[in-house]
Amino acid sequence: MRFTLYDQLLALPENQVGEIIGGQLHVQQNRSTGPQLAAAGAIITILGLPFHRGQQDLGGWWILTEPEIHFIRDAEVVVPDLTGWRRERMPSVPHDHRFEVVPDWVCEILSPSTAQKDRTLKLPLCARYSVAHSWLVDPLARTLEAYELQDGRWLLLGAIREDDAVCFPPFAAVTFSLADLWV
């Protein structure tokens, strides 16, 4: 019996995250650090209330942690740290683990073990499949880079640090301090 890359991904232990990028299976331990978890939790909290829950008439988003995105079913698969979809594009959350609607926004919380893959493999893949916005958050360097896809290429909208104000698409209607993400 021949196992596909996706079969191998599904067979991974629960403490490992698998992604299929460019025909290769990439595996990493699912062991986020305290600063990564704090940054992701803060972003979910800050954006979740107005955008996910609809306060201030900004609702209409699904903002989820670590969904399995299938750009090509079972062949190009990534698991971003945070992902957002406008509800008019994805009216409901899938009932299984495969998310096959291209997200409107992805956010990677960088770590020394994932930063290179996030920048050189996942970011170009997201551009290829027309993800409109991407944020890269580095809790150790205390930075956030915001990108917008224009003509198939990422345009850096801004790179901020420490306690600068965060006010980037697609969530520019809410401004918060980058310091809110750091522990």
Side-chain angles (χ1 to χ4, degrees):
M1 177 189 256
R2 185 170 179 265
F3 288 100
T4 67
L5 285 177
Y6 193 68
D7 292 329
Q8 293 174 40
L9 183 150
L10 290 176
L12 291 172
E14 285 195 29
N15 67 334
Q16 295 181 341
V17 175
E19 299 176 300
I20 302 171
I21 304 170
Q24 291 193 334
L25 178 61
H26 298 266
V27 179
Q28 67 190 47
Q29 294 292 325
N30 190 11
R31 301 197 106 159
S32 297
T33 64
Q36 288 174 285
L37 293 170
I43 292 169
I44 287 285
T45 300
I46 292 164
L47 299 180
L49 287 175
F51 291 98
H52 181 76
R53 295 288 180 207
Q55 290 182 350
Q56 306 168 16
D57 296 323
L58 300 174
W61 280 83
W62 297 110
I63 300 174
L64 304 174
T65 304
E66 297 185 345
E68 188 176 288
I69 309 298
H70 287 247
F71 291 120
I72 298 175
R73 187 176 181 94
D74 300 348
E76 289 284 4
V77 181
V78 295
V79 182
D81 295 312
L82 302 170
T83 310
W85 292 264
R86 287 183 166 85
R87 289 186 190 205
E88 66 258 14
R89 291 193 54 254
M90 189 175 78
S92 61
V93 173
H95 289 283
D96 73 354
H97 64 279
R98 290 179 179 95
F99 286 70
E100 298 187 82
V101 175
V102 173
D104 296 291
W105 170 78
V106 296
C107 178
E108 294 292 355
I109 311 296
L110 304 178
S111 73
S113 65
T114 65
Q116 183 177 11
K117 179 180 69 163
D118 291 340
R119 287 183 182 283
T120 64
L121 297 177
K122 291 172 79 172
L123 203 56
L125 186 70
C126 287
R128 186 174 328 127
Y129 290 100
S130 300
V131 174
H133 299 277
S134 182
W135 291 4
L136 298 177
V137 174
D138 187 332
L140 298 179
R142 296 184 173 210
T143 61
L144 182 151
E145 299 166 32
Y147 296 90
E148 184 172 77
L149 193 64
Q150 291 189 2
D151 299 322
R153 298 180 62 122
W154 289 115
L155 172 68
L156 177 64
L157 299 177
I160 59 174
R161 62 187 182 85
E162 295 293 340
D163 62 351
D164 291 342
V166 179
C167 185
F168 293 114
F171 304 111
V174 171
T175 300
F176 61 94
S177 172
L178 193 57
D180 294 341
L181 309 186
W182 316 138
V183 291

